[in-house]
Amino acid sequence: MRKKKVLFFVEAMGGGVFTYITNLANGLSEDFDVYVAYAVRKQTPINYKDYFNKNVHLIKVNSFTRQISIHDIKAFFEIKKICKNVNPDIIHLHSSKAGVLGRWAFNGKNIPVFYTPHGYSFLMSNINPFKKKLYRFVEFIHNWREYPHFDKWGMNCLLKAR
């Protein structure tokens, strides 16, 4: 029997999100076939691949950028292509950028989609008021349906029920 596949999308691969992803991916990799589609930031450790178990599949998303830009259109199609190639049983989105693009790209009907923001862009104190309102609006319109967060236990329960 094949292991169920979990695909993480992570744009913010640094700081606390990096620690969370490495711990979660490594913990799940014993029971699941784990894929991490990611982008590198200044905060990403140089030897980041060494933090992951050897059986965790790492896929670099070349078009992921921190700032909102034309690259987001490329990233949208890139993450759809990655998903098609991996053919996961679960998609788990991490951070605001991956959360927005992933919620556009995947509707959760064919593959369960989970979203963990780790921090909301509109709560940042170093951005102008217009951007704060824009980020809040984007989160608001993407919460038309619930994208729950699941830990290893929750994912196991969901996959056993499918």
Side-chain angles (χ1 to χ4, degrees):
M1 181 175 190
R2 81 166 179 86
K3 287 184 178 181
K4 300 284 186 170
K5 294 181 184 179
V6 178
L7 173 58
F8 296 115
F9 284 103
V10 188
E11 181 276 321
M13 187 91 139
V17 176
F18 177 77
T19 302
Y20 182 88
I21 290 299
T22 55
N23 288 334
L24 185 60
N26 289 339
L28 289 171
S29 69
E30 297 170 21
D31 300 319
F32 298 95
D33 198 5
V34 177
Y35 295 77
V36 178
Y38 67 93
V40 174
R41 282 190 173 183
K42 292 178 200 174
Q43 303 88 349
T44 305
I46 294 171
N47 62 337
Y48 66 92
K49 292 180 180 180
D50 296 338
Y51 287 78
F52 290 93
N53 291 346
K54 298 298 178 205
N55 57 339
V56 173
H57 309 276
L58 299 175
I59 305 166
K60 188 170 183 187
V61 181
N62 295 310
S63 302
F64 263 158
T65 59
R66 182 180 177 127
Q67 300 300 324
I68 296 172
S69 72
I70 192 73
H71 292 289
D72 295 340
I73 296 168
K74 288 182 189 176
F76 172 84
F77 290 106
E78 191 174 356
I79 66 174
K80 286 192 68 84
K81 183 178 179 182
I82 289 168
C83 184
K84 183 178 180 182
N85 291 338
V86 171
N87 192 24
D89 297 292
I90 288 181
I91 297 171
H92 193 167
L93 310 169
H94 295 269
S95 70
S96 296
K97 176 68 71 87
V100 168
L101 291 175
R103 288 179 286 173
W104 281 346
F106 316 112
N107 62 16
K109 290 181 182 172
N110 300 323
I111 303 168
V113 177
F114 301 94
Y115 171 48
T116 303
H118 298 283
Y120 291 102
S121 304
F122 59 81
L123 295 177
M124 293 188 299
S125 59
N126 60 341
I127 59 173
N128 70 47
F130 174 76
K131 277 190 176 179
K132 275 189 178 190
K133 288 179 183 175
L134 176 64
Y135 292 160
R136 184 182 297 270
F137 177 73
V138 168
E139 274 299 329
F140 174 77
I141 63 171
H142 283 93
N143 282 326
W144 57 272
R145 54 170 288 193
E146 188 175 342
Y147 290 87
H149 165 73
F150 273 67
D151 56 12
K152 183 177 178 179
W153 178 84
M155 284 190 190
N156 272 318
C157 290
L158 176 74
L159 288 171
K160 286 178 183 172
R162 295 190 109 222

